Amino acid sequence: MDGNRVVWAPDEKEGFILGTIVDVGVETLTVQPKSSSLQTFVANILLAVNPYHELKIYDSEHIKKYHNKSIGQLPPHVFSIADKAYRDMKLSKQSQSIIVSGESGAGKTESTKYIIRYLTESWGQGAGTIEERLVEANPLLEAFGNAKTVRNDNSSRFGKFVEIHFDSQSNVVGGFISHYLLEKSRICVQSKAERNYHIFYTLCAGLPDKQKASLCLKSINDYKYLNHGDVDVTTRNNSEDFKRIEASMDKLSIDSSERSNIYRLISAVLQLGNITFQEDLSDSRGGSNVCDESKCYLENASRLLGLDETDLANCLTSRVMTTARGGTKGTVYMVPLKPEQCANARDALAKAIYSRLFDAIVGRINSCIPFQNSSNYIGVLDIAGFEYFRYNSFEQFCINYCNEKLQQYFNNRILNQEQKLYEAEGLGVTPISFTDNQDCIDMIEAKPHGIFDLLDEESKLPKSNSEHFTMSVHENYGSHFRLMAPRKSVVTTYRTMRNEEGFIIRHFAGAVCYATRQFIEKNNDALHTSLEMVVHESKDKFLKGIFCRNIESDKTKSKKVNPAKLALVSVGNKFKTQLKALMDKLESTGSSFIRCIKPNGSMSSKIYEGGSVLSQLQCAGMVSVLKLMQAGFPSRTSFKDLYQRYKGFLPEKLARLDPRMFCKALFRAVGMNDQDYQFGLTKVFFRTGKFAEFDQIMKSDNDSLKEMIAKVQKWLIRARWRKVIWVSELEGDHYTNQVKDSDTKIKLLIHEIKNKEVDENYINDGYDSLMNATTIQLEELKEHLKNQRIAKEEERLRKLQEQMELERKRREEEEERRRVEQEERKRREELEAKRRQEEEEMKARKLKEEEEIRKAEELRAKKELEEQEVRRKQEEQEEQKRRLAEQELHDRELAIRIAEESGGAVVKEKSENTNTLNRKKSEKNDLSRYTYAQLRDIVNTSCDIELLQRCREECHRRLKVYHAWKERNKQQTNAVNSETFDQRAPQAVYAEASTRRNFPFPDPFSYLPNDQPQRFFRVPFTSGPTARPCGWWFAHFDGDWVVRQLELHSGREPALLLAGINDMDMCELRLQETGLATRPGAEILPEVFEEIWYKCGGKPYQRISSRRS
């Protein structure tokens, strides 16, 4: 490996650039550029790689450097996209959108912040504090909406569309922030390697002790909503983050009373999380009450929320219901809740408070950046990137659905519409194929059976069930290409999931498995009526205010519902509506794209995983874009509009030019040749790399237009002068000599006038002589040109006459050829008629024979079809049985795993001999009554593969019976060491097998003997109460059974055992019974086993197919 070796790497712009080879893994090489910039352009699309360290290319100096510079004039930069969006908005008088996309951790949030900073610093000086507030809103939004995940220490757990509004003079006048889908489940629970939202940790670490005491705040580890995840993050400083939040609030004019309200609700959420519940033994209805040890947290939460402690406890432990029929209709009942239901109600209240607080903060920020006279805006979209974890839930489903929509918008805007425009304008660009994901979007959102609609329908049922919802998805889309069952996944983790537990969607970026257990709960955004009522009775005006805003907005959108019922507010439907409004907004604006790339999965700087980067580019459609842009034209304008832009400033001579001719002269004036642009039917298109020239042409200010017209005039004069020079060179030396003689005579006359005394008559005579000579020369030149024209006309007439003569001869030859062809055609027709008559006679003779042959063929084909149909039905039945057996096996394994984790047990089957496929064994396959001699004869003489497999199964069954009998009768006085040496496999293997006695194993004939998988395992022998390792057990499984076994013990010779020779001393268990396939670290490579086998004196193993051949 030539690590760190300096090499030349190909580069599209520079030809080659200097780089170093970096080792990123076995058999993988990548070239690491020495340039500090990790950004590049594909046409006008920016690709930005996250460097995972600070780069000094985003300061004010670089902002000024990129100001009003076209793409290509300076190195690729996110500022170039921002500047392009601004110039497009100013030129076209149309709002623009910048779409920042990429995986989680690719740097979308940072790119968004740099774009906002560039726009506000460049054109926001006149906006006063608004420019500063637009920038300072980001730290506050990050504190309340960002959190640490396994892939990003500062992951945005919500989406935002930041609009920066401009007036008629294209200066910043204000802004507006729209937010989407805050991840509320994170408030209550996080994975082990993740954290809650940053604000919780910054408050606990940064608030002064006096203020913390007033808010009842303690250490981070004291709160259940915080201590389940990764509390400490090396990349963040909680105290410094708190100071940064306080500074942002100062800039946004959020006073101390507003901050106190915000901090109080944050603390109240943490207090709610520590409230626990237990069964109320005195309640005959099975109710619950608050545990004694958590009553202090109930008191703290009630005080911070301005609620009565008893009312809050009652609302958490019971809910209001009304009768629908029977008794007095409309009577209100208090229904007690079980402890787990109380915990769900507590979490629902905490999530509702935090989500509404987040809405209020966004609204408060928008009130600080108001705008009145907005002409256009530039919107920057930063939304969670495509996500895939080991277990994915409703949040990942919504996020990936959003990314599907954005990918479709990208494909439609960049690939589909672009190619349709090329075709309509007749440019002749070769079509580029791309993957359309519309079918995936339809499956999710289409009415009336999209996944969102199926989820809403299930949520409306009296007893909604996630398994019923999942099965309805499988029923509606079981045959859809984009959806498959978890057991069909290539990831072994998901194969244990049952169909009713989840489904897999093949997204544009890959297949993701979703566990649907909490889909219904997370899709329901409503609180119990009792909780809603108690919040509205709060003495805290701030809390009531943030809830009332949401209630009023919901009332305007929904019909009148029973106030005592749990109103369904679908999160999925709300998000789908928001996303549709966002897509409509994007469709109405011009678009620029930034594709953020994640260089590695460890979030480390200067490490580049080539395979991962390439996969991201392919999933984002950048390969198709690159192909299209190599042959396409990313910039274009209507040449009529372009001509109208300059028409008012054109002098009289240029105004007479045809618009297309003027445009051509304009392009030539800025240095472009015919290959740099192409005229369509109505537009003119520019090649990739001509952005600077295009921007220069499209400038609309008066000075720029006059400057361009001057360049056009200069180019036309030069073009005409070059033409005159070229024509003069064609006339020869005759007229050149005459001009030189005239020039000599003029100089001589001037010399005589200056140096001699001459009278006026002499001067006049000399002048008249020169003028006469010049006139004669001009007349000769005119006569010469006239003769040239006459000669050219005569030559043209001569060629015309020759062409006419040639045409006359051609017509005569054509008529002769037609006459010959007509005669030949008559002769052929006569021959053809004769041939047809002979053929009819032959057909008449063979008609009977052909009819007999046809009938015979029909009978044979019919018989073959019947046989094929029988075989097909048999194969379908066998395939169905095999799939059913595999599914039952997965279900059984999952049940055992759940039982082991929960400390329960698995119910044994009533009959150990029950066949999972309900197939009756034929007499041929029932070998339990055969003697050993009969089994030996079958093995030695039979050619029936299925029967041979049954013999193998029967032999292993009898070995199990024998060893079970031997185990029951073994003396209990055996020493520990001797017991270890007498083992046919380690005790851990037999202990696992004891839990799998009643496993419904798959059909052994699902594969042929020579197609059976070869797997190798290594497990230690243990002894004593401490399970001390005392040796190693190696096993080679050919399909379900051990065929080679190796035992290594200290102080003893290796024991090499072969199937067919040492069966009595070998492990008699199936591979599925041993549990080795799921035992961590047990499976080894074939090379490792073979190396140890040969060192111990073992001979090569021959499989069944090899031995038979």
mmCIF file of all heavy atoms in Angstrom, residues 1054-1074:
data_model
loop_
_atom_site.group_PDB
_atom_site.id
_atom_site.type_symbol
_atom_site.label_atom_id
_atom_site.label_comp_id
_atom_site.label_asym_id
_atom_site.label_seq_id
_atom_site.Cartn_x
_atom_site.Cartn_y
_atom_site.Cartn_z
ATOM 1 N N PRO A 1054 -5.454 -33.755 19.271
ATOM 2 C CA PRO A 1054 -6.672 -33.273 18.609
ATOM 3 C C PRO A 1054 -7.558 -34.444 18.161
ATOM 4 O O PRO A 1054 -7.060 -35.474 17.703
ATOM 5 C CB PRO A 1054 -6.140 -32.495 17.405
ATOM 6 C CG PRO A 1054 -4.726 -32.177 17.743
ATOM 7 C CD PRO A 1054 -4.218 -33.306 18.589
ATOM 8 N N ALA A 1055 -8.875 -34.266 18.299
ATOM 9 C CA ALA A 1055 -9.839 -35.290 17.891
ATOM 10 C C ALA A 1055 -10.504 -34.841 16.595
ATOM 11 O O ALA A 1055 -11.243 -33.863 16.578
ATOM 12 C CB ALA A 1055 -10.878 -35.501 18.981
ATOM 13 N N LEU A 1056 -10.194 -35.577 15.487
ATOM 14 C CA LEU A 1056 -10.773 -35.267 14.183
ATOM 15 C C LEU A 1056 -11.855 -36.295 13.879
ATOM 16 O O LEU A 1056 -11.578 -37.500 13.826
ATOM 17 C CB LEU A 1056 -9.711 -35.283 13.073
ATOM 18 C CG LEU A 1056 -8.718 -34.111 13.070
ATOM 19 C CD1 LEU A 1056 -7.582 -34.355 14.063
ATOM 20 C CD2 LEU A 1056 -8.133 -33.908 11.676
ATOM 21 N N LEU A 1057 -13.097 -35.841 13.672
ATOM 22 C CA LEU A 1057 -14.238 -36.716 13.482
ATOM 23 C C LEU A 1057 -14.895 -36.414 12.140
ATOM 24 O O LEU A 1057 -15.048 -35.250 11.750
ATOM 25 C CB LEU A 1057 -15.252 -36.517 14.609
ATOM 26 C CG LEU A 1057 -14.700 -36.625 16.046
ATOM 27 C CD1 LEU A 1057 -15.780 -36.298 17.059
ATOM 28 C CD2 LEU A 1057 -14.125 -38.021 16.294
ATOM 29 N N LEU A 1058 -15.293 -37.512 11.434
ATOM 30 C CA LEU A 1058 -15.915 -37.371 10.125
ATOM 31 C C LEU A 1058 -17.279 -38.054 10.128
ATOM 32 O O LEU A 1058 -17.440 -39.136 10.714
ATOM 33 C CB LEU A 1058 -15.040 -37.995 9.027
ATOM 34 C CG LEU A 1058 -13.768 -37.244 8.654
ATOM 35 C CD1 LEU A 1058 -12.906 -38.097 7.732
ATOM 36 C CD2 LEU A 1058 -14.119 -35.930 7.970
ATOM 37 N N ALA A 1059 -18.258 -37.417 9.465
ATOM 38 C CA ALA A 1059 -19.575 -38.020 9.339
ATOM 39 C C ALA A 1059 -19.474 -39.294 8.504
ATOM 40 O O ALA A 1059 -18.748 -39.360 7.514
ATOM 41 C CB ALA A 1059 -20.536 -37.029 8.675
ATOM 42 N N GLY A 1060 -20.245 -40.311 8.894
ATOM 43 C CA GLY A 1060 -20.182 -41.604 8.225
ATOM 44 C C GLY A 1060 -19.164 -42.537 8.844
ATOM 45 O O GLY A 1060 -19.160 -43.739 8.552
ATOM 46 N N ILE A 1061 -18.268 -41.993 9.690
ATOM 47 C CA ILE A 1061 -17.240 -42.812 10.348
ATOM 48 C C ILE A 1061 -17.362 -42.677 11.855
ATOM 49 O O ILE A 1061 -17.376 -43.673 12.589
ATOM 50 C CB ILE A 1061 -15.824 -42.396 9.875
ATOM 51 C CG1 ILE A 1061 -15.711 -42.559 8.361
ATOM 52 C CG2 ILE A 1061 -14.755 -43.207 10.593
ATOM 53 C CD1 ILE A 1061 -14.395 -42.062 7.808
ATOM 54 N N ASN A 1062 -17.439 -41.457 12.343
ATOM 55 C CA ASN A 1062 -17.450 -41.191 13.778
ATOM 56 C C ASN A 1062 -18.769 -40.578 14.237
ATOM 57 O O ASN A 1062 -18.806 -39.720 15.122
ATOM 58 C CB ASN A 1062 -16.309 -40.232 14.141
ATOM 59 C CG ASN A 1062 -14.977 -40.653 13.561
ATOM 60 O OD1 ASN A 1062 -14.542 -40.055 12.580
ATOM 61 N ND2 ASN A 1062 -14.357 -41.676 14.130
ATOM 62 N N ASP A 1063 -19.898 -41.024 13.642
ATOM 63 C CA ASP A 1063 -21.179 -40.393 13.949
ATOM 64 C C ASP A 1063 -21.555 -40.492 15.417
ATOM 65 O O ASP A 1063 -22.195 -39.585 15.970
ATOM 66 C CB ASP A 1063 -22.291 -41.017 13.088
ATOM 67 C CG ASP A 1063 -22.054 -40.809 11.614
ATOM 68 O OD1 ASP A 1063 -21.390 -41.661 11.001
ATOM 69 O OD2 ASP A 1063 -22.532 -39.781 11.085
ATOM 70 N N MET A 1064 -21.202 -41.585 16.093
ATOM 71 C CA MET A 1064 -21.598 -41.782 17.485
ATOM 72 C C MET A 1064 -20.940 -40.770 18.411
ATOM 73 O O MET A 1064 -21.443 -40.513 19.505
ATOM 74 C CB MET A 1064 -21.253 -43.210 17.939
ATOM 75 C CG MET A 1064 -21.939 -44.295 17.125
ATOM 76 S SD MET A 1064 -23.738 -44.249 17.297
ATOM 77 C CE MET A 1064 -23.894 -44.791 18.992
ATOM 78 N N ASP A 1065 -19.781 -40.212 17.974
ATOM 79 C CA ASP A 1065 -19.053 -39.271 18.832
ATOM 80 C C ASP A 1065 -19.242 -37.819 18.398
ATOM 81 O O ASP A 1065 -18.648 -36.913 18.990
ATOM 82 C CB ASP A 1065 -17.554 -39.603 18.829
ATOM 83 C CG ASP A 1065 -17.289 -40.984 19.369
ATOM 84 O OD1 ASP A 1065 -17.970 -41.380 20.344
ATOM 85 O OD2 ASP A 1065 -16.403 -41.656 18.821
ATOM 86 N N MET A 1066 -20.043 -37.580 17.346
ATOM 87 C CA MET A 1066 -20.204 -36.241 16.813
ATOM 88 C C MET A 1066 -21.528 -35.626 17.276
ATOM 89 O O MET A 1066 -22.430 -36.330 17.727
ATOM 90 C CB MET A 1066 -20.161 -36.261 15.277
ATOM 91 C CG MET A 1066 -18.814 -36.682 14.719
ATOM 92 S SD MET A 1066 -18.815 -36.809 12.922
ATOM 93 C CE MET A 1066 -19.071 -35.087 12.472
ATOM 94 N N CYS A 1067 -21.624 -34.318 17.134
ATOM 95 C CA CYS A 1067 -22.856 -33.589 17.495
ATOM 96 C C CYS A 1067 -23.986 -34.025 16.567
ATOM 97 O O CYS A 1067 -23.837 -34.017 15.341
ATOM 98 C CB CYS A 1067 -22.624 -32.081 17.385
ATOM 99 S SG CYS A 1067 -24.090 -31.101 17.733
ATOM 100 N N GLU A 1068 -25.127 -34.420 17.151
ATOM 101 C CA GLU A 1068 -26.239 -34.928 16.378
ATOM 102 C C GLU A 1068 -27.299 -33.863 16.091
ATOM 103 O O GLU A 1068 -28.347 -34.163 15.517
ATOM 104 C CB GLU A 1068 -26.897 -36.092 17.134
ATOM 105 C CG GLU A 1068 -27.730 -35.675 18.348
ATOM 106 C CD GLU A 1068 -26.891 -35.395 19.586
ATOM 107 O OE1 GLU A 1068 -25.653 -35.393 19.456
ATOM 108 O OE2 GLU A 1068 -27.464 -35.171 20.672
ATOM 109 N N LEU A 1069 -27.043 -32.626 16.472
ATOM 110 C CA LEU A 1069 -28.053 -31.575 16.387
ATOM 111 C C LEU A 1069 -28.058 -30.907 15.011
ATOM 112 O O LEU A 1069 -27.035 -30.825 14.335
ATOM 113 C CB LEU A 1069 -27.803 -30.496 17.452
ATOM 114 C CG LEU A 1069 -27.810 -30.967 18.902
ATOM 115 C CD1 LEU A 1069 -27.435 -29.822 19.819
ATOM 116 C CD2 LEU A 1069 -29.192 -31.517 19.276
ATOM 117 N N ARG A 1070 -29.243 -30.405 14.633
ATOM 118 C CA ARG A 1070 -29.348 -29.570 13.448
ATOM 119 C C ARG A 1070 -28.673 -28.216 13.706
ATOM 120 O O ARG A 1070 -28.503 -27.789 14.851
ATOM 121 C CB ARG A 1070 -30.817 -29.294 13.108
ATOM 122 C CG ARG A 1070 -31.584 -30.437 12.493
ATOM 123 C CD ARG A 1070 -33.029 -29.980 12.319
ATOM 124 N NE ARG A 1070 -33.859 -31.005 11.699
ATOM 125 C CZ ARG A 1070 -34.093 -31.096 10.407
ATOM 126 N NH1 ARG A 1070 -33.554 -30.211 9.594
ATOM 127 N NH2 ARG A 1070 -34.854 -32.046 9.910
ATOM 128 N N LEU A 1071 -28.356 -27.516 12.613
ATOM 129 C CA LEU A 1071 -27.766 -26.187 12.751
ATOM 130 C C LEU A 1071 -28.746 -25.230 13.430
ATOM 131 O O LEU A 1071 -28.354 -24.434 14.286
ATOM 132 C CB LEU A 1071 -27.366 -25.643 11.364
ATOM 133 C CG LEU A 1071 -26.826 -24.206 11.330
ATOM 134 C CD1 LEU A 1071 -25.578 -24.079 12.201
ATOM 135 C CD2 LEU A 1071 -26.520 -23.787 9.903
ATOM 136 N N GLN A 1072 -30.051 -25.340 13.086
ATOM 137 C CA GLN A 1072 -31.020 -24.429 13.693
ATOM 138 C C GLN A 1072 -31.200 -24.706 15.184
ATOM 139 O O GLN A 1072 -31.476 -23.798 15.969
ATOM 140 C CB GLN A 1072 -32.386 -24.544 12.994
ATOM 141 C CG GLN A 1072 -32.383 -24.020 11.557
ATOM 142 C CD GLN A 1072 -32.054 -25.116 10.570
ATOM 143 O OE1 GLN A 1072 -31.442 -26.131 10.954
ATOM 144 N NE2 GLN A 1072 -32.411 -24.928 9.307
ATOM 145 N N GLU A 1073 -31.021 -25.980 15.578
ATOM 146 C CA GLU A 1073 -31.163 -26.302 16.994
ATOM 147 C C GLU A 1073 -30.021 -25.739 17.829
ATOM 148 O O GLU A 1073 -30.219 -25.348 18.970
ATOM 149 C CB GLU A 1073 -31.220 -27.824 17.159
ATOM 150 C CG GLU A 1073 -32.518 -28.472 16.707
ATOM 151 C CD GLU A 1073 -32.473 -29.978 16.911
ATOM 152 O OE1 GLU A 1073 -31.714 -30.646 16.195
ATOM 153 O OE2 GLU A 1073 -33.192 -30.480 17.788
ATOM 154 N N THR A 1074 -28.828 -25.690 17.252
ATOM 155 C CA THR A 1074 -27.662 -25.244 18.023
ATOM 156 C C THR A 1074 -27.700 -23.757 18.319
ATOM 157 O O THR A 1074 -27.085 -23.303 19.290
ATOM 158 C CB THR A 1074 -26.369 -25.555 17.252
ATOM 159 O OG1 THR A 1074 -26.381 -24.826 16.017
ATOM 160 C CG2 THR A 1074 -26.260 -27.042 16.964
#
